[in-house]
Amino acid sequence: MDGCEGPPEWVQDAVFYQIFPDRFRNGDPTSDPPGTVPWGGLPDRHSFFGGDLWGVLEKLNYLVDLGVTALYLTPIFKAPTNHKYDTQDYFQVDPAFGGNEALRALVSALHSRGMRLVLDGVFNHCGEVHPFFQDVLAKGRASPYWDWFTIWGEEVIREPEPNYACWAGVRSMPEWNHKNPKVRGYLLSVVRHWLTEYGIDGWRLDTVEYLPPDFVREVYRAAKEVRPDAYVLGEVMGMAASWFKHGALDGVMNYRLRDGLAAFFARGEWSAEEFAQHLYAIRRSYPPVNNFAMYNLVGSHDVPRFLTLCQGDRRRLILAYTFLFTYPGAPAIYYGDEVGLAGGGDPDCRRPFPWEESAWEREILFSLRDLIRARKASPALRRGLFRLWEARGKLISFLRAGEGEEVLVALNLGEEETIKLPGGGPWRDLLSGERVSGSRFAVSACGFRLLRRAAGRA
Ligand SMILES: [Ca+2]
């Protein structure tokens, strides 16, 4: 790793919150896109609900109160769809989201609270409405942008099958030709622009697995050159080891972990032994420094809501989040999970946030708040080494040790159980402060315990 590169320190202390901007909060109805539907309905693939960055700004105190320290926003640049993965202009925040002015205001408000912002970088493809692709459609081979795309033939054919490279075969998302240095230069200028001119704190790179690794490495270097503490995170669904070997990413959206959380906590398919083995395999396949810079999630805009996977059992959702808040890597809340928002696969996992508090599952909200406070108060939970203590049936417990303390985490999906207390002490319950002594301690059915002791008392 050369010079200043490597994951930034702040990530292991961060608590992320992912926002799908059209669905979080409508702060300015005057700029809603045409056809915007009333807040609160069920989304289809084409719905607009009118959420925007002014709305995020308006609800910043709510997020601070929850304990969030960093936001990840799905794409915000000008694009025709609600999800905006089909960029039209990489240098304009979509007017329906409040334009560049709203981003400026949001970054300023976040930074004044010591919070961070990560944006979604869609550099594999653009939208067909991007002016460079439009130029190719209009002028064919005479367009200076002809070789910015990969077109097999003398003219562009769109129907019935496109004759140009496009993301996952979606004709409205033509892929950039990353072999063309001009394309790379253009995309790298986007990477630098938002870091230097607007002060964002990092990039989440979309569909990294479709990109040439050496280009991802260039993006990484470009970001670190202008902001050594930028966080560069990749969307990788499976094994991510090669990205870290190439020094091309700090962390990934940890979908491998999420698969395990779903199998163990939500669907109950795995024993604790299987779950622990899965955790071990993930940790061992990545360098420790990257394990601590993971974006650990239970859900996102691309997968069913975890509460729905749990068939509405909020105790299982709370246990899964308890795991995230006590495991190495940065925990991420998917907007609305904390108040019990449900939803199946895309687009149902993108419902508008329910702001009527009567609809909230307060038990989830209060539990997550307490857990975030516990994580923030405990350096061992954020930075300590992980050691499995016990994996048995439906019960897993592990130790996090470092920075002068040790925390024992016990998560129990089954009936009430007891667990052997490690020798030494005294141990105290991290949430209640109650002293715990004896050779074993109890964990209630579908419950958890976090116990802490000062280090060096073994
Ligand atoms: Ca709006």
Side-chain angles (χ1 to χ4, degrees):
M1 204 66 69
D2 17 302
C4 56
E5 293 181 18
E9 278 285 312
W10 61 266
V11 172
Q12 53 194 322
D13 297 326
V15 176
F16 276 94
Y17 190 87
Q18 181 191 344
I19 289 176
F20 191 86
D22 184 61
R23 309 290 156 78
F24 183 63
R25 176 72 177 179
N26 189 349
D28 174 20
T30 66
S31 59
D32 288 355
T36 293
V37 298
W39 200 263
L42 293 179
D44 64 30
R45 293 203 173 274
H46 308 288
S47 325
F48 286 99
F49 285 88
D52 48 51
L53 301 191
W54 298 119
V56 178
L57 199 56
E58 190 184 311
K59 289 298 180 184
L60 223 46
N61 286 342
Y62 164 83
L63 297 172
V64 168
D65 193 43
L66 178 58
V68 170
T69 69
L71 302 184
Y72 152 47
L73 306 183
T74 56
I76 61 171
F77 304 132
K78 189 176 181 193
T81 56
N82 57 38
H83 54 71
K84 311 221 175 289
Y85 282 98
D86 51 343
T87 315
Q88 180 174 356
D89 186 343
Y90 286 95
F91 294 94
Q92 293 295 324
V93 174
D94 200 287
F97 285 174
N100 291 4
E101 180 198 357
L103 179 65
R104 183 82 75 191
L106 179 61
V107 171
S108 164
L110 287 168
H111 286 177
S112 74
R113 290 165 170 82
M115 295 169 75
R116 309 271 182 165
L117 179 66
V118 171
L119 292 184
D120 208 319
V122 187
F123 302 131
N124 174 69
H125 53 269
C126 59
E128 62 186 340
V129 291
H130 191 287
F132 298 172
F133 192 71
Q134 286 294 310
D135 196 72
V136 168
L137 289 180
K139 299 177 190 156
R141 274 199 168 274
S143 167
Y145 300 109
W146 176 266
D147 60 356
W148 285 49
F149 302 93
T150 304
I151 301 155
W152 302 289
E154 292 305 304
E155 57 180 309
V156 176
I157 297 168
R158 301 186 74 252
E159 306 277 354
E161 286 187 334
N163 71 335
Y164 51 89
C166 49
W167 177 75
V170 178
R171 70 169 60 83
S172 60
M173 296 182 176
E175 289 188 321
W176 294 110
N177 173 16
H178 298 94
K179 291 185 182 135
N180 183 338
K182 288 181 187 161
V183 169
R184 292 193 179 204
Y186 169 71
L187 296 172
L188 293 174
S189 76
V190 176
V191 171
R192 292 188 197 97
H193 175 77
W194 297 102
L195 287 165
T196 57
E197 304 303 315
Y198 282 74
I200 69 162
D201 301 285
W203 286 103
R204 175 265 193 191
L205 306 180
D206 184 49
T207 63
V208 154
E209 288 158 294
Y210 289 70
L211 289 165
D214 66 320
F215 171 65
V216 179
R217 173 80 181 135
E218 278 187 83
V219 170
Y220 186 83
R221 294 190 77 117
K224 301 283 176 174
E225 268 163 30
V226 294
R227 276 287 299 278
D229 68 342
Y231 180 41
V232 183
L233 157 74
E235 182 200 19
V236 177
M237 293 288 181
M239 169 59 82
S242 64
W243 298 102
F244 303 129
K245 284 181 180 151
H246 284 109
L249 294 172
D250 291 321
V252 294
M253 294 181 86
N254 204 347
Y255 280 104
R256 285 175 77 202
L257 176 67
R258 185 208 169 254
D259 292 344
L261 298 174
F264 181 62
F265 289 106
R267 293 194 297 267
E269 294 165 353
W270 282 4
S271 66
E273 293 90 334
E274 287 169 299
F275 179 55
Q277 177 57 38
H278 183 72
L279 296 176
Y280 182 76
I282 297 173
R283 284 197 315 281
R284 279 293 162 266
S285 51
Y286 303 145
V289 70
N290 299 107
N291 279 326
F292 280 94
M294 285 287 163
Y295 178 101
N296 287 339
L297 70 164
V298 308
S300 76
H301 60 298
D302 284 326
V303 291
R305 290 267 180 189
F306 205 84
L307 184 60
T308 299
L309 289 183
C310 295
Q311 299 184 305
D313 185 344
R314 66 179 86 93
R315 295 171 306 168
R316 287 174 174 268
L317 175 78
I318 291 168
L319 280 177
Y321 268 110
T322 306
F323 178 85
L324 279 199
F325 291 124
T326 54
Y327 196 66
I333 300 171
Y334 182 47
Y335 82 96
D337 273 5
E338 76 277 17
V339 294
L341 189 55
D346 168 21
D348 196 37
C349 54
R350 306 173 179 187
R351 293 182 195 174
F353 190 103
W355 286 108
E356 324 73 48
E357 296 188 21
S358 59
W360 291 1
E361 296 267 12
R362 288 172 180 281
E363 184 189 347
I364 302 174
L365 182 64
F366 295 162
S367 299
L368 266 55
R369 255 184 217 166
D370 288 347
L371 288 160
I372 291 172
R373 284 200 192 106
R375 182 175 173 92
K376 285 182 171 174
S378 166
L381 286 181
R382 287 176 276 118
R383 292 162 175 257
L385 295 177
F386 175 97
R387 182 157 67 93
L388 183 67
W389 180 244
E390 199 172 0
R392 162 168 52 94
K394 294 289 173 191
L395 181 142
I396 184 164
S397 68
F398 51 87
L399 290 153
R400 300 291 310 280
E403 318 234 349
E405 62 169 10
E406 196 167 14
V407 176
L408 177 62
V409 178
L411 306 165
N412 180 21
L413 277 166
E415 296 305 311
E416 178 167 321
E417 272 284 2
T418 64
I419 298 181
K420 182 169 174 269
L421 196 61
W427 290 91
R428 284 187 187 279
D429 189 295
L430 193 54
L431 296 176
S432 71
E434 172 205 351
R435 186 161 171 168
V436 180
S437 51
S439 61
R440 301 185 75 83
F441 67 101
V443 190
S444 61
C446 248
F448 64 88
R449 297 292 294 276
L450 309 181
L451 308 182
R452 179 192 176 277
R453 71 174 171 192
R457 303 244 202 153

mmCIF file of all heavy atoms in Angstrom, residues 335-369:
data_model
loop_
_atom_site.group_PDB
_atom_site.id
_atom_site.type_symbol
_atom_site.label_atom_id
_atom_site.label_comp_id
_atom_site.label_asym_id
_atom_site.label_seq_id
_atom_site.Cartn_x
_atom_site.Cartn_y
_atom_site.Cartn_z
ATOM 1 N N TYR A 335 -32.563 2.926 5.390
ATOM 2 C CA TYR A 335 -33.590 3.874 5.856
ATOM 3 C C TYR A 335 -34.928 3.165 6.118
ATOM 4 O O TYR A 335 -35.391 2.381 5.293
ATOM 5 C CB TYR A 335 -33.773 5.013 4.828
ATOM 6 C CG TYR A 335 -34.683 4.639 3.664
ATOM 7 C CD1 TYR A 335 -36.042 4.969 3.679
ATOM 8 C CD2 TYR A 335 -34.204 3.917 2.578
ATOM 9 C CE1 TYR A 335 -36.892 4.591 2.636
ATOM 10 C CE2 TYR A 335 -35.036 3.542 1.542
ATOM 11 C CZ TYR A 335 -36.375 3.874 1.574
ATOM 12 O OH TYR A 335 -37.219 3.500 0.553
ATOM 13 N N GLY A 336 -35.502 3.462 7.249
ATOM 14 C CA GLY A 336 -36.819 2.922 7.554
ATOM 15 C C GLY A 336 -36.804 1.614 8.322
ATOM 16 O O GLY A 336 -37.779 1.291 9.002
ATOM 17 N N ASP A 337 -35.693 0.859 8.219
ATOM 18 C CA ASP A 337 -35.595 -0.391 8.999
ATOM 19 C C ASP A 337 -35.820 -0.101 10.483
ATOM 20 O O ASP A 337 -36.406 -0.915 11.202
ATOM 21 C CB ASP A 337 -34.203 -1.024 8.848
ATOM 22 C CG ASP A 337 -34.099 -1.941 7.629
ATOM 23 O OD1 ASP A 337 -35.069 -2.012 6.850
ATOM 24 O OD2 ASP A 337 -33.041 -2.578 7.460
ATOM 25 N N GLU A 338 -35.329 1.058 10.918
ATOM 26 C CA GLU A 338 -35.340 1.373 12.350
ATOM 27 C C GLU A 338 -36.743 1.650 12.892
ATOM 28 O O GLU A 338 -36.942 1.671 14.102
ATOM 29 C CB GLU A 338 -34.400 2.555 12.640
ATOM 30 C CG GLU A 338 -34.907 3.945 12.245
ATOM 31 C CD GLU A 338 -34.696 4.296 10.775
ATOM 32 O OE1 GLU A 338 -34.451 3.384 9.960
ATOM 33 O OE2 GLU A 338 -34.808 5.503 10.446
ATOM 34 N N VAL A 339 -37.696 1.891 11.988
ATOM 35 C CA VAL A 339 -39.073 2.107 12.462
ATOM 36 C C VAL A 339 -39.986 0.976 11.998
ATOM 37 O O VAL A 339 -41.207 1.056 12.103
ATOM 38 C CB VAL A 339 -39.634 3.482 12.022
ATOM 39 C CG1 VAL A 339 -38.855 4.611 12.693
ATOM 40 C CG2 VAL A 339 -39.646 3.633 10.509
ATOM 41 N N GLY A 340 -39.389 -0.088 11.458
ATOM 42 C CA GLY A 340 -40.173 -1.260 11.104
ATOM 43 C C GLY A 340 -40.782 -1.209 9.710
ATOM 44 O O GLY A 340 -41.792 -1.874 9.444
ATOM 45 N N LEU A 341 -40.145 -0.463 8.800
ATOM 46 C CA LEU A 341 -40.652 -0.434 7.424
ATOM 47 C C LEU A 341 -40.448 -1.830 6.805
ATOM 48 O O LEU A 341 -39.383 -2.422 6.917
ATOM 49 C CB LEU A 341 -39.908 0.643 6.621
ATOM 50 C CG LEU A 341 -40.429 0.982 5.232
ATOM 51 C CD1 LEU A 341 -41.910 1.376 5.264
ATOM 52 C CD2 LEU A 341 -39.613 2.121 4.618
ATOM 53 N N ALA A 342 -41.502 -2.324 6.154
ATOM 54 C CA ALA A 342 -41.449 -3.650 5.537
ATOM 55 C C ALA A 342 -41.337 -3.502 4.026
ATOM 56 O O ALA A 342 -41.409 -2.396 3.481
ATOM 57 C CB ALA A 342 -42.708 -4.438 5.903
ATOM 58 N N GLY A 343 -41.170 -4.627 3.330
ATOM 59 C CA GLY A 343 -41.135 -4.594 1.875
ATOM 60 C C GLY A 343 -40.396 -5.782 1.310
ATOM 61 O O GLY A 343 -39.396 -6.225 1.878
ATOM 62 N N GLY A 344 -40.905 -6.307 0.199
ATOM 63 C CA GLY A 344 -40.246 -7.423 -0.477
ATOM 64 C C GLY A 344 -39.138 -6.906 -1.385
ATOM 65 O O GLY A 344 -38.591 -5.829 -1.166
ATOM 66 N N GLY A 345 -38.825 -7.668 -2.433
ATOM 67 C CA GLY A 345 -37.757 -7.276 -3.354
ATOM 68 C C GLY A 345 -38.079 -5.978 -4.088
ATOM 69 O O GLY A 345 -39.211 -5.487 -4.046
ATOM 70 N N ASP A 346 -37.059 -5.442 -4.761
ATOM 71 C CA ASP A 346 -37.196 -4.229 -5.558
ATOM 72 C C ASP A 346 -38.406 -4.360 -6.486
ATOM 73 O O ASP A 346 -38.511 -5.369 -7.175
ATOM 74 C CB ASP A 346 -35.883 -4.074 -6.352
ATOM 75 C CG ASP A 346 -35.946 -3.026 -7.439
ATOM 76 O OD1 ASP A 346 -36.817 -2.147 -7.373
ATOM 77 O OD2 ASP A 346 -35.119 -3.115 -8.372
ATOM 78 N N PRO A 347 -39.324 -3.406 -6.542
ATOM 79 C CA PRO A 347 -39.286 -2.047 -5.960
ATOM 80 C C PRO A 347 -39.924 -1.932 -4.572
ATOM 81 O O PRO A 347 -39.937 -0.846 -4.002
ATOM 82 C CB PRO A 347 -40.117 -1.236 -6.966
ATOM 83 C CG PRO A 347 -41.149 -2.209 -7.446
ATOM 84 C CD PRO A 347 -40.479 -3.563 -7.448
ATOM 85 N N ASP A 348 -40.407 -3.045 -4.003
ATOM 86 C CA ASP A 348 -41.159 -2.945 -2.744
ATOM 87 C C ASP A 348 -40.267 -2.572 -1.560
ATOM 88 O O ASP A 348 -40.756 -2.057 -0.552
ATOM 89 C CB ASP A 348 -41.871 -4.288 -2.480
ATOM 90 C CG ASP A 348 -42.959 -4.169 -1.427
ATOM 91 O OD1 ASP A 348 -43.650 -3.118 -1.397
ATOM 92 O OD2 ASP A 348 -43.115 -5.108 -0.631
ATOM 93 N N CYS A 349 -38.950 -2.833 -1.697
ATOM 94 C CA CYS A 349 -38.024 -2.478 -0.607
ATOM 95 C C CYS A 349 -37.675 -0.992 -0.633
ATOM 96 O O CYS A 349 -36.812 -0.546 0.119
ATOM 97 C CB CYS A 349 -36.743 -3.319 -0.711
ATOM 98 S SG CYS A 349 -35.945 -3.216 -2.308
ATOM 99 N N ARG A 350 -38.348 -0.239 -1.517
ATOM 100 C CA ARG A 350 -38.050 1.189 -1.664
ATOM 101 C C ARG A 350 -39.264 2.048 -1.318
ATOM 102 O O ARG A 350 -39.511 3.084 -1.930
ATOM 103 C CB ARG A 350 -37.586 1.479 -3.094
ATOM 104 C CG ARG A 350 -36.410 0.605 -3.524
ATOM 105 C CD ARG A 350 -36.050 0.771 -5.005
ATOM 106 N NE ARG A 350 -34.897 -0.069 -5.357
ATOM 107 C CZ ARG A 350 -34.272 -0.033 -6.534
ATOM 108 N NH1 ARG A 350 -34.690 0.796 -7.484
ATOM 109 N NH2 ARG A 350 -33.248 -0.814 -6.759
ATOM 110 N N ARG A 351 -40.048 1.594 -0.350
ATOM 111 C CA ARG A 351 -41.241 2.360 0.029
ATOM 112 C C ARG A 351 -40.859 3.690 0.672
ATOM 113 O O ARG A 351 -39.784 3.801 1.268
ATOM 114 C CB ARG A 351 -42.064 1.560 1.052
ATOM 115 C CG ARG A 351 -42.671 0.295 0.494
ATOM 116 C CD ARG A 351 -43.508 -0.391 1.566
ATOM 117 N NE ARG A 351 -43.815 -1.756 1.193
ATOM 118 C CZ ARG A 351 -44.440 -2.632 1.995
ATOM 119 N NH1 ARG A 351 -44.799 -2.265 3.227
ATOM 120 N NH2 ARG A 351 -44.699 -3.852 1.577
ATOM 121 N N PRO A 352 -41.776 4.680 0.581
ATOM 122 C CA PRO A 352 -41.486 5.954 1.250
ATOM 123 C C PRO A 352 -41.433 5.793 2.775
ATOM 124 O O PRO A 352 -42.176 4.987 3.349
ATOM 125 C CB PRO A 352 -42.640 6.869 0.842
ATOM 126 C CG PRO A 352 -43.577 6.060 0.047
ATOM 127 C CD PRO A 352 -43.037 4.689 -0.162
ATOM 128 N N PHE A 353 -40.553 6.550 3.395
ATOM 129 C CA PHE A 353 -40.397 6.496 4.851
ATOM 130 C C PHE A 353 -41.699 6.933 5.518
ATOM 131 O O PHE A 353 -42.255 7.966 5.183
ATOM 132 C CB PHE A 353 -39.260 7.435 5.271
ATOM 133 C CG PHE A 353 -38.851 7.272 6.712
ATOM 134 C CD1 PHE A 353 -37.699 6.593 7.048
ATOM 135 C CD2 PHE A 353 -39.623 7.817 7.736
ATOM 136 C CE1 PHE A 353 -37.320 6.447 8.378
ATOM 137 C CE2 PHE A 353 -39.250 7.674 9.060
ATOM 138 C CZ PHE A 353 -38.095 6.987 9.386
ATOM 139 N N PRO A 354 -42.194 6.164 6.495
ATOM 140 C CA PRO A 354 -43.440 6.536 7.171
ATOM 141 C C PRO A 354 -43.192 7.565 8.267
ATOM 142 O O PRO A 354 -42.732 7.209 9.344
ATOM 143 C CB PRO A 354 -43.912 5.201 7.771
ATOM 144 C CG PRO A 354 -42.649 4.449 8.025
ATOM 145 C CD PRO A 354 -41.626 4.904 7.006
ATOM 146 N N TRP A 355 -43.509 8.801 7.997
ATOM 147 C CA TRP A 355 -43.201 9.841 8.991
ATOM 148 C C TRP A 355 -44.263 9.979 10.071
ATOM 149 O O TRP A 355 -44.034 10.675 11.070
ATOM 150 C CB TRP A 355 -42.908 11.185 8.313
ATOM 151 C CG TRP A 355 -41.557 11.158 7.656
ATOM 152 C CD1 TRP A 355 -41.292 11.123 6.318
ATOM 153 C CD2 TRP A 355 -40.276 11.105 8.316
ATOM 154 N NE1 TRP A 355 -39.928 11.055 6.102
ATOM 155 C CE2 TRP A 355 -39.287 11.041 7.310
ATOM 156 C CE3 TRP A 355 -39.865 11.099 9.656
ATOM 157 C CZ2 TRP A 355 -37.925 10.979 7.610
ATOM 158 C CZ3 TRP A 355 -38.515 11.045 9.949
ATOM 159 C CH2 TRP A 355 -37.559 10.984 8.931
ATOM 160 N N GLU A 356 -45.458 9.346 9.890
ATOM 161 C CA GLU A 356 -46.439 9.388 10.976
ATOM 162 C C GLU A 356 -45.926 8.475 12.080
ATOM 163 O O GLU A 356 -45.838 7.259 11.889
ATOM 164 C CB GLU A 356 -47.826 8.897 10.545
ATOM 165 C CG GLU A 356 -48.267 9.226 9.137
ATOM 166 C CD GLU A 356 -47.521 8.381 8.099
ATOM 167 O OE1 GLU A 356 -47.424 7.147 8.263
ATOM 168 O OE2 GLU A 356 -47.033 8.977 7.120
ATOM 169 N N GLU A 357 -45.613 9.043 13.219
ATOM 170 C CA GLU A 357 -44.949 8.260 14.272
ATOM 171 C C GLU A 357 -45.824 7.137 14.813
ATOM 172 O O GLU A 357 -45.319 6.168 15.380
ATOM 173 C CB GLU A 357 -44.478 9.185 15.397
ATOM 174 C CG GLU A 357 -43.422 10.155 14.907
ATOM 175 C CD GLU A 357 -42.775 10.959 16.028
ATOM 176 O OE1 GLU A 357 -42.846 10.513 17.187
ATOM 177 O OE2 GLU A 357 -42.218 12.022 15.711
ATOM 178 N N SER A 358 -47.146 7.278 14.618
ATOM 179 C CA SER A 358 -48.039 6.219 15.106
ATOM 180 C C SER A 358 -47.774 4.901 14.384
ATOM 181 O O SER A 358 -48.117 3.830 14.879
ATOM 182 C CB SER A 358 -49.497 6.646 14.921
ATOM 183 O OG SER A 358 -49.738 6.900 13.549
ATOM 184 N N ALA A 359 -47.161 4.981 13.188
ATOM 185 C CA ALA A 359 -46.890 3.764 12.409
ATOM 186 C C ALA A 359 -45.555 3.125 12.796
ATOM 187 O O ALA A 359 -45.205 2.061 12.291
ATOM 188 C CB ALA A 359 -46.890 4.105 10.919
ATOM 189 N N TRP A 360 -44.804 3.759 13.679
ATOM 190 C CA TRP A 360 -43.461 3.261 13.977
ATOM 191 C C TRP A 360 -43.480 2.092 14.958
ATOM 192 O O TRP A 360 -44.286 2.061 15.885
ATOM 193 C CB TRP A 360 -42.601 4.370 14.591
ATOM 194 C CG TRP A 360 -42.267 5.470 13.624
ATOM 195 C CD1 TRP A 360 -42.651 5.571 12.322
ATOM 196 C CD2 TRP A 360 -41.494 6.640 13.915
ATOM 197 N NE1 TRP A 360 -42.148 6.725 11.771
ATOM 198 C CE2 TRP A 360 -41.438 7.406 12.730
ATOM 199 C CE3 TRP A 360 -40.835 7.108 15.050
ATOM 200 C CZ2 TRP A 360 -40.756 8.615 12.654
ATOM 201 C CZ3 TRP A 360 -40.151 8.314 14.972
ATOM 202 C CH2 TRP A 360 -40.111 9.056 13.779
ATOM 203 N N GLU A 361 -42.549 1.181 14.744
ATOM 204 C CA GLU A 361 -42.291 0.109 15.706
ATOM 205 C C GLU A 361 -41.251 0.666 16.685
ATOM 206 O O GLU A 361 -40.042 0.591 16.449
ATOM 207 C CB GLU A 361 -41.711 -1.119 14.991
ATOM 208 C CG GLU A 361 -42.646 -1.767 14.006
ATOM 209 C CD GLU A 361 -43.447 -2.886 14.663
ATOM 210 O OE1 GLU A 361 -43.435 -2.990 15.909
ATOM 211 O OE2 GLU A 361 -44.072 -3.642 13.904
ATOM 212 N N ARG A 362 -41.743 1.207 17.784
ATOM 213 C CA ARG A 362 -40.838 1.906 18.701
ATOM 214 C C ARG A 362 -39.808 0.989 19.341
ATOM 215 O O ARG A 362 -38.694 1.418 19.670
ATOM 216 C CB ARG A 362 -41.638 2.619 19.784
ATOM 217 C CG ARG A 362 -42.349 3.792 19.206
ATOM 218 C CD ARG A 362 -43.305 4.454 20.152
ATOM 219 N NE ARG A 362 -43.883 5.562 19.423
ATOM 220 C CZ ARG A 362 -43.268 6.720 19.245
ATOM 221 N NH1 ARG A 362 -42.102 6.939 19.786
ATOM 222 N NH2 ARG A 362 -43.824 7.671 18.532
ATOM 223 N N GLU A 363 -40.178 -0.277 19.519
ATOM 224 C CA GLU A 363 -39.228 -1.201 20.134
ATOM 225 C C GLU A 363 -37.955 -1.309 19.290
ATOM 226 O O GLU A 363 -36.844 -1.370 19.815
ATOM 227 C CB GLU A 363 -39.877 -2.583 20.287
ATOM 228 C CG GLU A 363 -38.983 -3.572 21.021
ATOM 229 C CD GLU A 363 -39.522 -5.004 20.986
ATOM 230 O OE1 GLU A 363 -40.698 -5.189 20.608
ATOM 231 O OE2 GLU A 363 -38.755 -5.907 21.324
ATOM 232 N N ILE A 364 -38.142 -1.319 17.965
ATOM 233 C CA ILE A 364 -36.974 -1.392 17.077
ATOM 234 C C ILE A 364 -36.165 -0.103 17.177
ATOM 235 O O ILE A 364 -34.947 -0.117 17.375
ATOM 236 C CB ILE A 364 -37.403 -1.650 15.613
ATOM 237 C CG1 ILE A 364 -38.219 -2.940 15.498
ATOM 238 C CG2 ILE A 364 -36.187 -1.698 14.703
ATOM 239 C CD1 ILE A 364 -38.812 -3.184 14.115
ATOM 240 N N LEU A 365 -36.866 1.016 17.057
ATOM 241 C CA LEU A 365 -36.191 2.315 17.071
ATOM 242 C C LEU A 365 -35.383 2.501 18.358
ATOM 243 O O LEU A 365 -34.198 2.871 18.317
ATOM 244 C CB LEU A 365 -37.233 3.430 16.919
ATOM 245 C CG LEU A 365 -36.682 4.852 16.867
ATOM 246 C CD1 LEU A 365 -35.801 5.060 15.641
ATOM 247 C CD2 LEU A 365 -37.831 5.869 16.860
ATOM 248 N N PHE A 366 -36.007 2.228 19.498
ATOM 249 C CA PHE A 366 -35.324 2.445 20.774
ATOM 250 C C PHE A 366 -34.166 1.460 20.946
ATOM 251 O O PHE A 366 -33.108 1.819 21.476
ATOM 252 C CB PHE A 366 -36.310 2.340 21.945
ATOM 253 C CG PHE A 366 -37.355 3.433 21.936
ATOM 254 C CD1 PHE A 366 -38.533 3.300 22.664
ATOM 255 C CD2 PHE A 366 -37.165 4.596 21.207
ATOM 256 C CE1 PHE A 366 -39.497 4.305 22.654
ATOM 257 C CE2 PHE A 366 -38.125 5.610 21.194
ATOM 258 C CZ PHE A 366 -39.290 5.460 21.914
ATOM 259 N N SER A 367 -34.362 0.230 20.500
ATOM 260 C CA SER A 367 -33.277 -0.751 20.618
ATOM 261 C C SER A 367 -32.071 -0.327 19.784
ATOM 262 O O SER A 367 -30.929 -0.381 20.247
ATOM 263 C CB SER A 367 -33.737 -2.130 20.149
ATOM 264 O OG SER A 367 -34.799 -2.581 20.945
ATOM 265 N N LEU A 368 -32.328 0.107 18.539
ATOM 266 C CA LEU A 368 -31.219 0.497 17.672
ATOM 267 C C LEU A 368 -30.486 1.708 18.246
ATOM 268 O O LEU A 368 -29.251 1.764 18.241
ATOM 269 C CB LEU A 368 -31.704 0.758 16.236
ATOM 270 C CG LEU A 368 -31.586 -0.447 15.297
ATOM 271 C CD1 LEU A 368 -32.283 -1.675 15.828
ATOM 272 C CD2 LEU A 368 -32.068 -0.113 13.898
ATOM 273 N N ARG A 369 -31.252 2.671 18.756
ATOM 274 C CA ARG A 369 -30.636 3.847 19.377
ATOM 275 C C ARG A 369 -29.712 3.447 20.525
ATOM 276 O O ARG A 369 -28.591 3.924 20.636
ATOM 277 C CB ARG A 369 -31.747 4.733 19.973
ATOM 278 C CG ARG A 369 -32.023 5.961 19.183
ATOM 279 C CD ARG A 369 -33.065 6.773 19.927
ATOM 280 N NE ARG A 369 -33.952 7.373 18.960
ATOM 281 C CZ ARG A 369 -35.119 7.917 19.257
ATOM 282 N NH1 ARG A 369 -35.568 7.917 20.498
ATOM 283 N NH2 ARG A 369 -35.835 8.463 18.314
#
